[in-house]
Amino acid sequence: MTDLETRVAAARATPLRRAAPALLGYAAVRALGLIVLAVWSAARGKNAYTLLTARWDALWYTRVADLGYGYEVRLPNGDVHSNLAFFPLLPWLERLLHALLPVSYADAGFVVSLVASLAAAWGIFAVADHVYGVRAGVCAVLLWAVLPVGIVQSMAYSESLFTALAAWSLYAVLTGRWVSAGVLAALAGLTRPVGLAVVAAVWAAGVAPFVRHWRDRASDGARKAGRAPEAESAARARRVPAEEGAGYATHAPSVTDGASLTRRALGMLIAPLGAAGYVLWVGLHTGKGPLGYLDVQAGWRNGFDGGYAFARFVADKFTSFPSALAGLALIIGVVLLVRLYVAGVRQGQPLALLVYTGVVTALALCASSYFGSKPRLLLPAFPLLLPLARALARLRTSPSMLVTAGIAAASAVYGAFWLNGSGPP
């Protein structure tokens, strides 16, 4: 079969069949991680399922599902940990499953996480496939699965649910389905504070064609036209590029199409409703106004300081030799993130992906929150993996599979070690 025949056959496949290799590979990696976790935990006298469903943030989510909002813990140092810091979509789903099935809230959270992780893997594949092709899509999913903190994808946390909603919202943007993009962005905004990144991506992609259109019209007006109307129209069509990224060429919207404009505007209006609605409700509930949610986060020592606290944390590592190695590793990690983002820009990733990734990464690195959680907070930034996925896709199948299998094994061991530790991921 020639390359052309392969592409035609792939294009004719149903979306699920097209994504099947990626989903099967993802399921295999996650199964390996869970098996290693079970063995490791048993050796340490711990219950792996409890580690996945009933520790740290998972407990806060199940408490919201069971008792609603209003619970808080006052620490000896005066800090107040309120469950208002946790966005409601995951607890709502836990409560729904608990009402429909004979399962506990913790069990429901685990089910939601498993289903959402598969949906996230499919969404990541859909985005990467749309931009770079099938092989890159499969590689992107596998790379997301084998991340060192990939075990979080199987926990009763909100990362998998958020990544699924974000990925499919971005895919809807890439394919011009604006209302779907807005609804999914609103749901992402009900899942985690970083839902702001999805809203920003929808708005940036929605506004960009108009900015280019107005810029080109202004340029045309300043230029003395010396050609026939038909030639001028054809030249303008050549100058206005399709939305950045492969796949946009067949879905490039017209800024003068009334129906398209209505759907685009509606999607953009819907996108911020989830996050804005919850934040405003918290402000009303606490009596502290629109910024009341920031006070809730401050009780957890969470805030946005531009990365100052994280920089001090890294600098403190260099006060002694053993910890200096960890500090060096953190610096290398940040440099790698920046390089991957720059590579995405140079490779022409769509604007929506670049905006989304930039906001997720900035919020993760520049927040003054618990520093051990930063790798987990970066999990939704899957477009950072696309340059690596493209490089991996260029390898022959056997070397690519060996590389992925080796990383998967290392990730499974690290995940089991990490989750059996004392601090929250």
Side-chain angles (χ1 to χ4, degrees), residues 24-105:
L24 291 173
Y26 177 80
V29 172
R30 290 273 38 88
L32 175 63
L34 293 176
I35 291 171
V36 173
L37 174 65
V39 173
W40 190 294
S41 301
R44 293 177 58 87
K46 296 183 179 181
N47 186 298
Y49 188 70
T50 300
L51 295 178
L52 293 169
T53 62
R55 292 185 76 189
W56 306 307
D57 290 5
L59 288 174
W60 287 90
Y61 283 119
T62 56
R63 189 175 286 117
V64 173
D66 185 18
L67 303 174
Y69 286 105
Y71 176 82
E72 62 183 29
V73 175
R74 294 184 178 272
L75 303 183
N77 65 355
D79 290 345
V80 177
H81 288 184
S82 168
N83 65 359
L84 289 169
F86 296 88
F87 276 49
L89 186 57
L90 177 56
W92 286 349
L93 293 175
E94 290 176 341
R95 182 178 297 179
L96 177 62
L97 281 183
H98 175 71
L100 296 176
L101 302 172
V103 296
S104 68
Y105 293 113

Coordinates of all heavy atoms in Angstrom, one line a residue, residues 24-105:
L24 N -5.8 2.2 22.6 CA -5.3 0.9 23.0 C -3.9 1.1 23.7 O -3.6 0.5 24.7 CB -5.3 -0.1 21.9 CG -6.6 -0.6 21.4 CD1 -6.4 -1.5 20.1 CD2 -7.4 -1.3 22.5
G25 N -3.1 1.8 23.1 CA -1.7 2.1 23.6 C -1.8 2.8 24.9 O -1.1 2.5 25.9
Y26 N -2.7 3.8 25.0 CA -2.9 4.5 26.2 C -3.4 3.6 27.4 O -2.9 3.6 28.5 CB -3.9 5.7 26.0 CG -4.2 6.4 27.3 CD1 -3.3 7.4 27.7 CD2 -5.3 6.2 28.1 CE1 -3.6 8.1 28.9 CE2 -5.6 6.9 29.2 CZ -4.7 7.8 29.7 OH -4.9 8.5 30.8
A27 N -4.4 2.8 27.0 CA -5.0 1.9 28.0 C -3.9 0.9 28.5 O -3.8 0.6 29.8 CB -6.1 1.1 27.5
A28 N -3.0 0.4 27.7 CA -1.9 -0.5 28.1 C -1.0 0.2 29.0 O -0.5 -0.4 30.0 CB -1.2 -1.0 26.8
V29 N -0.6 1.4 28.7 CA 0.3 2.2 29.6 C -0.3 2.4 30.9 O 0.4 2.2 32.0 CB 0.7 3.5 28.9 CG1 1.5 4.4 29.9 CG2 1.5 3.3 27.7
R30 N -1.5 2.8 31.0 CA -2.2 3.1 32.3 C -2.4 1.8 33.0 O -2.3 1.8 34.3 CB -3.5 3.8 32.0 CG -3.4 5.2 31.6 CD -3.3 6.2 32.7 NE -2.5 5.9 33.8 CZ -1.2 6.0 33.9 NH1 -0.5 6.5 32.9 NH2 -0.5 5.7 35.0
A31 N -2.7 0.7 32.4 CA -2.8 -0.6 33.0 C -1.5 -1.0 33.7 O -1.4 -1.5 34.8 CB -3.3 -1.7 32.1
L32 N -0.4 -0.8 32.9 CA 0.9 -1.1 33.5 C 1.2 -0.3 34.7 O 1.7 -0.8 35.8 CB 2.0 -0.8 32.4 CG 3.5 -1.0 32.9 CD1 3.8 -2.4 33.3 CD2 4.4 -0.5 31.8
G33 N 0.9 1.0 34.7 CA 1.1 1.9 35.8 C 0.3 1.4 37.0 O 0.8 1.4 38.2
L34 N -1.0 1.0 36.8 CA -1.8 0.5 37.9 C -1.3 -0.8 38.5 O -1.4 -1.0 39.7 CB -3.3 0.4 37.5 CG -4.0 1.7 37.1 CD1 -5.4 1.4 36.6 CD2 -4.0 2.6 38.3
I35 N -0.8 -1.7 37.7 CA -0.3 -3.0 38.2 C 1.0 -2.7 39.0 O 1.1 -3.3 40.1 CB 0.0 -3.9 37.0 CG1 -1.3 -4.3 36.3 CG2 0.8 -5.1 37.4 CD1 -1.0 -5.1 35.0
V36 N 1.9 -1.9 38.5 CA 3.1 -1.6 39.3 C 2.7 -0.9 40.6 O 3.3 -1.2 41.7 CB 4.0 -0.7 38.5 CG1 5.2 -0.3 39.3 CG2 4.5 -1.5 37.2
L37 N 1.7 0.0 40.6 CA 1.3 0.7 41.8 C 0.7 -0.4 42.8 O 1.0 -0.3 44.0 CB 0.2 1.7 41.5 CG -0.4 2.4 42.7 CD1 0.6 3.2 43.4 CD2 -1.6 3.2 42.2
A38 N -0.1 -1.3 42.3 CA -0.7 -2.3 43.2 C 0.4 -3.2 43.8 O 0.4 -3.4 45.1 CB -1.6 -3.2 42.4
V39 N 1.4 -3.6 43.1 CA 2.5 -4.4 43.6 C 3.3 -3.6 44.6 O 3.7 -4.1 45.7 CB 3.4 -5.0 42.5 CG1 4.6 -5.7 43.0 CG2 2.5 -5.9 41.6
W40 N 3.7 -2.4 44.2 CA 4.5 -1.6 45.1 C 3.8 -1.3 46.4 O 4.4 -1.4 47.5 CB 4.9 -0.3 44.3 CG 5.9 0.6 45.0 CD1 5.8 1.2 46.2 CD2 7.2 0.9 44.5 NE1 7.0 1.9 46.5 CE2 7.8 1.7 45.4 CE3 7.9 0.6 43.3 CZ2 9.1 2.3 45.2 CZ3 9.2 1.1 43.1 CH2 9.8 1.9 44.1
S41 N 2.5 -0.9 46.3 CA 1.8 -0.6 47.5 C 1.6 -1.8 48.4 O 1.7 -1.6 49.6 CB 0.4 0.0 47.1 OG 0.5 1.1 46.3
A42 N 1.3 -2.9 47.8 CA 1.2 -4.1 48.7 C 2.5 -4.5 49.4 O 2.5 -4.9 50.6 CB 0.8 -5.3 47.8
A43 N 3.6 -4.2 48.7 CA 4.9 -4.5 49.4 C 5.1 -3.5 50.6 O 5.9 -3.9 51.5 CB 6.0 -4.3 48.4
R44 N 4.5 -2.4 50.5 CA 4.7 -1.4 51.6 C 3.5 -1.4 52.6 O 3.4 -0.6 53.5 CB 4.8 0.0 51.0 CG 6.0 0.3 50.2 CD 6.1 1.6 49.6 NE 5.9 2.7 50.6 CZ 6.9 3.2 51.3 NH1 8.2 2.8 51.0 NH2 6.8 4.2 52.1
G45 N 2.6 -2.4 52.4 CA 1.5 -2.5 53.3 C 0.4 -1.5 53.1 O -0.3 -1.2 54.1
K46 N 0.3 -0.9 51.9 CA -0.7 0.1 51.6 C -1.7 -0.4 50.6 O -1.4 -1.4 49.9 CB 0.0 1.4 51.1 CG 0.9 2.0 52.2 CD 1.4 3.3 51.6 CE 2.3 4.0 52.6 NZ 2.9 5.3 52.1
N47 N -2.8 0.2 50.5 CA -3.9 -0.1 49.6 C -3.8 0.8 48.4 O -4.0 2.0 48.5 CB -5.3 -0.1 50.2 CG -6.4 -0.6 49.3 OD1 -6.6 0.0 48.3 ND2 -7.1 -1.6 49.8
A48 N -3.5 0.3 47.2 CA -3.4 1.1 46.0 C -4.6 1.8 45.7 O -4.6 3.0 45.3 CB -2.9 0.2 44.8
Y49 N -5.8 1.2 45.8 CA -7.1 1.8 45.5 C -7.3 3.0 46.4 O -7.8 4.1 46.0 CB -8.2 0.8 45.6 CG -9.5 1.3 45.1 CD1 -9.7 1.6 43.7 CD2 -10.6 1.6 45.9 CE1 -10.9 2.0 43.2 CE2 -11.8 2.1 45.5 CZ -11.9 2.3 44.1 OH -13.1 2.8 43.6
T50 N -7.0 2.9 47.7 CA -7.1 4.0 48.6 C -6.2 5.2 48.2 O -6.6 6.4 48.3 CB -6.8 3.6 50.0 OG1 -7.7 2.5 50.4 CG2 -6.9 4.8 51.0
L51 N -5.0 4.9 47.7 CA -4.1 5.9 47.3 C -4.7 6.7 46.1 O -4.5 7.9 45.9 CB -2.8 5.3 46.9 CG -1.9 4.7 48.0 CD1 -0.6 4.1 47.4 CD2 -1.6 5.7 49.1
L52 N -5.4 6.0 45.3 CA -6.0 6.6 44.0 C -7.3 7.4 44.3 O -7.6 8.3 43.6 CB -6.3 5.5 43.0 CG -5.1 4.8 42.4 CD1 -5.6 3.6 41.6 CD2 -4.3 5.7 41.5
T53 N -8.0 7.0 45.4 CA -9.4 7.5 45.5 C -9.6 8.3 46.8 O -10.7 8.9 46.9 CB -10.4 6.4 45.4 OG1 -10.2 5.4 46.5 CG2 -10.3 5.7 44.1
A54 N -8.8 8.1 47.8 CA -9.2 8.6 49.1 C -8.0 9.3 49.8 O -7.8 9.1 51.1 CB -9.7 7.5 50.0
R55 N -7.2 10.1 49.1 CA -6.2 10.9 49.7 C -6.1 12.3 49.1 O -6.5 12.5 48.0 CB -4.8 10.2 49.5 CG -4.6 8.9 50.2 CD -3.2 8.4 50.0 NE -2.2 9.1 50.8 CZ -0.9 9.0 50.7 NH1 -0.4 8.1 49.8 NH2 -0.1 9.6 51.5
W56 N -5.7 13.2 49.9 CA -5.5 14.6 49.5 C -6.7 15.2 48.8 O -7.8 15.2 49.3 CB -4.2 14.6 48.6 CG -3.0 14.0 49.3 CD1 -2.5 14.4 50.5 CD2 -2.2 13.0 48.8 NE1 -1.4 13.6 50.8 CE2 -1.2 12.7 49.8 CE3 -2.2 12.2 47.6 CZ2 -0.2 11.8 49.6 CZ3 -1.2 11.3 47.4 CH2 -0.2 11.1 48.4
D57 N -6.5 15.7 47.6 CA -7.6 16.4 46.9 C -8.8 15.5 46.7 O -10.0 16.0 46.7 CB -7.1 17.0 45.5 CG -6.2 18.1 45.7 OD1 -5.8 18.4 46.9 OD2 -5.8 18.8 44.7
A58 N -8.6 14.2 46.5 CA -9.7 13.3 46.2 C -10.7 13.4 47.4 O -11.9 13.3 47.2 CB -9.2 11.9 46.0
L59 N -10.2 13.5 48.6 CA -11.1 13.6 49.8 C -11.9 14.9 49.8 O -13.1 14.9 50.2 CB -10.2 13.5 51.1 CG -9.6 12.1 51.4 CD1 -8.7 12.2 52.6 CD2 -10.7 11.1 51.6
W60 N -11.3 15.9 49.4 CA -12.0 17.2 49.3 C -13.1 17.1 48.3 O -14.3 17.6 48.5 CB -11.1 18.3 49.0 CG -10.2 18.7 50.1 CD1 -8.9 18.2 50.4 CD2 -10.5 19.7 51.2 NE1 -8.4 18.8 51.6 CE2 -9.3 19.7 52.0 CE3 -11.5 20.5 51.4 CZ2 -9.3 20.5 53.1 CZ3 -11.5 21.4 52.5 CH2 -10.4 21.3 53.4
Y61 N -12.9 16.5 47.1 CA -13.9 16.4 46.1 C -15.1 15.5 46.6 O -16.3 15.9 46.4 CB -13.3 15.8 44.8 CG -12.5 16.8 44.0 CD1 -11.2 16.6 43.8 CD2 -13.1 17.9 43.5 CE1 -10.4 17.5 43.0 CE2 -12.4 18.8 42.7 CZ -11.1 18.6 42.5 OH -10.3 19.5 41.8
T62 N -14.8 14.4 47.2 CA -15.9 13.5 47.7 C -16.6 14.2 48.8 O -17.8 14.0 48.9 CB -15.3 12.2 48.2 OG1 -14.3 12.4 49.2 CG2 -14.7 11.4 47.0
R63 N -16.0 15.0 49.6 CA -16.7 15.7 50.7 C -17.7 16.7 50.1 O -18.8 16.9 50.6 CB -15.7 16.4 51.6 CG -16.4 16.9 52.9 CD -15.3 17.5 53.9 NE -14.6 16.4 54.5 CZ -13.3 16.2 54.4 NH1 -12.6 16.9 53.6 NH2 -12.8 15.2 55.1
V64 N -17.3 17.4 49.0 CA -18.2 18.3 48.4 C -19.3 17.6 47.8 O -20.5 18.0 47.9 CB -17.4 19.1 47.2 CG1 -18.4 19.9 46.4 CG2 -16.4 20.0 47.9
A65 N -19.1 16.4 47.1 CA -20.1 15.6 46.6 C -21.1 15.1 47.6 O -22.3 15.1 47.4 CB -19.5 14.4 45.8
D66 N -20.6 14.8 48.8 CA -21.5 14.3 49.9 C -22.2 15.4 50.6 O -23.4 15.3 50.8 CB -20.6 13.5 50.8 CG -21.4 12.7 51.9 OD1 -22.6 12.6 51.7 OD2 -20.8 12.3 52.9
L67 N -21.5 16.4 51.0 CA -22.1 17.4 52.0 C -22.3 18.8 51.4 O -22.8 19.7 52.0 CB -21.2 17.5 53.2 CG -20.9 16.2 54.0 CD1 -19.8 16.4 55.1 CD2 -22.2 15.6 54.5
G68 N -21.8 19.0 50.1 CA -21.9 20.3 49.6 C -20.8 21.2 50.0 O -19.8 20.8 50.7
Y69 N -20.9 22.5 49.7 CA -19.9 23.5 50.1 C -20.1 24.0 51.5 O -21.2 24.0 52.0 CB -19.8 24.6 49.0 CG -19.2 24.2 47.7 CD1 -19.9 24.0 46.6 CD2 -17.8 24.0 47.6 CE1 -19.4 23.6 45.4 CE2 -17.2 23.7 46.5 CZ -18.0 23.4 45.3 OH -17.4 23.1 44.2
G70 N -19.0 24.6 52.1 CA -19.1 25.2 53.4 C -18.2 24.6 54.4 O -18.0 25.1 55.5
Y71 N -17.5 23.5 54.0 CA -16.6 22.8 54.9 C -15.2 23.5 54.9 O -14.8 23.9 53.8 CB -16.4 21.4 54.6 CG -15.4 20.6 55.4 CD1 -15.7 20.1 56.7 CD2 -14.1 20.4 54.9 CE1 -14.8 19.5 57.4 CE2 -13.2 19.8 55.7 CZ -13.5 19.3 57.0 OH -12.6 18.6 57.7
E72 N -14.6 23.8 56.0 CA -13.3 24.4 56.0 C -12.5 23.8 57.2 O -13.1 23.4 58.2 CB -13.4 25.9 56.1 CG -14.0 26.5 57.3 CD -14.2 28.0 57.2 OE1 -14.3 28.5 56.1 OE2 -14.2 28.6 58.3
V73 N -11.2 23.9 57.1 CA -10.2 23.5 58.1 C -9.4 24.7 58.5 O -8.8 25.3 57.6 CB -9.3 22.3 57.7 CG1 -8.3 22.0 58.7 CG2 -10.2 21.1 57.3
R74 N -9.4 25.0 59.8 CA -8.5 26.1 60.3 C -7.2 25.6 60.9 O -7.3 24.8 61.8 CB -9.3 26.9 61.3 CG -10.5 27.7 60.8 CD -11.1 28.6 61.8 NE -12.2 29.3 61.2 CZ -12.1 30.5 60.6 NH1 -11.0 31.0 60.5 NH2 -13.2 31.0 60.0
L75 N -6.1 25.9 60.3 CA -4.8 25.4 60.7 C -4.3 26.3 61.9 O -4.7 27.4 62.1 CB -3.8 25.5 59.5 CG -4.3 24.7 58.3 CD1 -3.2 24.7 57.2 CD2 -4.7 23.3 58.6
P76 N -3.3 25.7 62.6 CA -2.8 26.4 63.8 C -2.1 27.8 63.4 O -2.1 28.7 64.2 CB -1.7 25.5 64.3 CG -2.2 24.1 63.9 CD -2.9 24.3 62.6
N77 N -1.6 27.9 62.2 CA -0.9 29.1 61.7 C -1.9 30.2 61.3 O -1.5 31.2 60.8 CB 0.1 28.8 60.7 CG -0.6 28.3 59.4 OD1 -1.8 28.1 59.3 ND2 0.3 28.1 58.3
G78 N -3.2 29.8 61.3 CA -4.2 30.8 60.9 C -4.8 30.6 59.5 O -5.8 31.3 59.2
D79 N -4.1 29.8 58.7 CA -4.6 29.5 57.4 C -6.0 28.8 57.4 O -6.3 28.0 58.3 CB -3.7 28.7 56.6 CG -2.4 29.4 56.2 OD1 -2.4 30.7 56.3 OD2 -1.4 28.8 55.8
V80 N -6.8 29.1 56.5 CA -8.2 28.5 56.4 C -8.2 27.8 55.1 O -8.2 28.4 54.0 CB -9.3 29.6 56.5 CG1 -10.7 28.9 56.3 CG2 -9.2 30.3 57.8
H81 N -8.4 26.5 55.1 CA -8.6 25.6 53.9 C -10.0 25.4 53.7 O -10.7 24.6 54.5 CB -7.8 24.3 54.1 CG -6.3 24.5 54.0 ND1 -5.4 23.4 54.0 CD2 -5.5 25.6 53.9 CE1 -4.2 23.8 53.9 NE2 -4.2 25.2 53.8
S82 N -10.6 26.0 52.7 CA -12.1 25.9 52.5 C -12.3 25.1 51.2 O -11.5 25.1 50.2 CB -12.7 27.3 52.2 OG -14.0 27.2 51.7
N83 N -13.3 24.2 51.2 CA -13.6 23.4 50.1 C -14.2 24.3 48.9 O -14.4 23.7 47.8 CB -14.5 22.3 50.4 CG -15.9 22.7 50.8 OD1 -16.2 23.8 50.9 ND2 -16.7 21.7 51.1
L84 N -14.4 25.5 49.1 CA -14.8 26.4 48.0 C -13.7 26.6 47.0 O -13.9 27.0 45.9 CB -15.2 27.8 48.6 CG -16.5 27.9 49.3 CD1 -16.6 29.2 50.0 CD2 -17.7 27.6 48.4
A85 N -12.5 26.2 47.3 CA -11.4 26.3 46.4 C -11.5 25.2 45.3 O -10.9 25.4 44.2 CB -10.0 26.0 47.1
F86 N -12.4 24.2 45.5 CA -12.5 23.1 44.5 C -13.7 23.3 43.6 O -14.8 23.4 44.1 CB -12.6 21.8 45.2 CG -11.3 21.5 46.0 CD1 -11.2 21.9 47.3 CD2 -10.3 20.8 45.4 CE1 -10.0 21.6 48.0 CE2 -9.1 20.5 46.1 CZ -9.0 20.9 47.4
F87 N -13.5 23.4 42.3 CA -14.5 23.7 41.4 C -15.5 22.5 41.3 O -15.2 21.4 41.6 CB -13.9 24.0 40.0 CG -13.5 25.4 39.9 CD1 -12.7 26.0 40.8 CD2 -13.9 26.2 38.8 CE1 -12.3 27.4 40.7 CE2 -13.5 27.5 38.6 CZ -12.7 28.1 39.6
P88 N -16.8 22.7 40.9 CA -17.8 21.8 41.2 C -18.1 20.6 40.2 O -18.9 19.7 40.6 CB -19.1 22.7 41.3 CG -18.8 23.8 40.3 CD -17.3 24.0 40.4
L89 N -17.6 20.7 39.0 CA -18.0 19.7 38.0 C -17.7 18.3 38.4 O -18.6 17.4 38.3 CB -17.4 20.0 36.6 CG -17.9 19.1 35.5 CD1 -19.5 19.2 35.4 CD2 -17.3 19.4 34.2
L90 N -16.5 18.0 38.9 CA -16.2 16.6 39.3 C -17.1 16.2 40.5 O -17.6 15.1 40.5 CB -14.7 16.5 39.7 CG -14.3 15.1 40.3 CD1 -14.6 14.0 39.3 CD2 -12.8 15.2 40.6
P91 N -17.3 17.0 41.6 CA -18.2 16.5 42.6 C -19.6 16.3 42.1 O -20.3 15.4 42.6 CB -18.1 17.7 43.6 CG -16.8 18.3 43.4 CD -16.6 18.2 41.9
W92 N -20.1 17.1 41.2 CA -21.4 16.9 40.6 C -21.5 15.6 39.9 O -22.5 14.9 40.1 CB -21.7 18.0 39.6 CG -22.0 19.4 40.2 CD1 -22.3 19.7 41.5 CD2 -22.1 20.6 39.5 NE1 -22.5 21.0 41.7 CE2 -22.4 21.6 40.5 CE3 -22.0 21.0 38.2 CZ2 -22.6 23.0 40.2 CZ3 -22.1 22.4 37.9 CH2 -22.4 23.3 38.8
L93 N -20.5 15.2 39.2 CA -20.5 13.9 38.5 C -20.4 12.8 39.5 O -21.0 11.7 39.3 CB -19.3 13.9 37.5 CG -19.4 14.8 36.3 CD1 -18.2 14.8 35.4 CD2 -20.7 14.5 35.4
E94 N -19.6 13.0 40.5 CA -19.6 11.9 41.6 C -20.9 11.7 42.2 O -21.4 10.6 42.5 CB -18.5 12.3 42.6 CG -17.1 12.3 42.1 CD -16.1 12.7 43.1 OE1 -16.5 13.4 44.1 OE2 -14.9 12.4 43.0
R95 N -21.6 12.8 42.5 CA -22.9 12.8 43.1 C -23.9 12.1 42.2 O -24.8 11.3 42.6 CB -23.4 14.2 43.5 CG -24.8 14.2 44.2 CD -25.2 15.6 44.6 NE -24.2 16.1 45.6 CZ -24.4 17.4 46.0 NH1 -25.4 18.2 45.6 NH2 -23.5 17.8 46.9
L96 N -23.8 12.4 40.9 CA -24.7 11.8 39.9 C -24.5 10.3 39.8 O -25.5 9.5 39.8 CB -24.5 12.5 38.5 CG -25.3 11.9 37.4 CD1 -26.8 12.1 37.6 CD2 -24.9 12.5 36.0
L97 N -23.3 9.9 39.7 CA -23.0 8.4 39.6 C -23.4 7.7 40.9 O -24.0 6.6 40.9 CB -21.5 8.2 39.3 CG -21.1 8.3 37.9 CD1 -19.6 8.0 37.8 CD2 -21.9 7.5 37.0
H98 N -23.2 8.4 42.0 CA -23.6 7.8 43.3 C -25.1 7.6 43.4 O -25.6 6.6 44.0 CB -23.1 8.7 44.5 CG -23.6 8.2 45.8 ND1 -23.1 7.1 46.5 CD2 -24.5 8.7 46.7 CE1 -23.7 7.0 47.6 NE2 -24.6 7.9 47.8
A99 N -25.9 8.5 42.8 CA -27.3 8.4 42.8 C -27.8 7.4 41.8 O -28.9 6.7 42.1 CB -27.9 9.8 42.4
L100 N -27.1 7.2 40.7 CA -27.5 6.2 39.7 C -27.1 4.8 39.9 O -27.7 3.8 39.5 CB -27.1 6.7 38.3 CG -27.6 8.1 37.8 CD1 -27.0 8.4 36.5 CD2 -29.2 8.0 37.7
L101 N -25.9 4.7 40.6 CA -25.3 3.3 40.7 C -25.0 3.1 42.2 O -24.8 4.0 43.0 CB -24.0 3.3 39.9 CG -24.1 3.5 38.4 CD1 -22.7 3.6 37.8 CD2 -24.9 2.5 37.7
P102 N -24.9 1.8 42.5 CA -24.6 1.5 43.9 C -23.1 1.6 44.2 O -22.4 0.6 44.5 CB -25.0 0.0 44.0 CG -24.9 -0.5 42.7 CD -25.2 0.6 41.7
V103 N -22.5 2.8 44.1 CA -21.1 3.0 44.3 C -20.9 4.2 45.3 O -21.8 5.0 45.4 CB -20.4 3.4 43.0 CG1 -20.4 2.2 42.0 CG2 -21.0 4.6 42.3
S104 N -19.8 4.2 46.0 CA -19.5 5.3 46.9 C -19.1 6.5 46.1 O -18.8 6.4 44.9 CB -18.4 4.9 47.9 OG -17.2 4.7 47.2
Y105 N -19.0 7.7 46.7 CA -18.5 8.9 46.1 C -17.1 8.7 45.6 O -16.7 9.1 44.5 CB -18.6 10.1 47.0 CG -20.0 10.5 47.3 CD1 -20.5 10.3 48.6 CD2 -20.8 11.0 46.3 CE1 -21.8 10.7 48.9 CE2 -22.1 11.3 46.7 CZ -22.6 11.2 48.0 OH -23.9 11.6 48.3

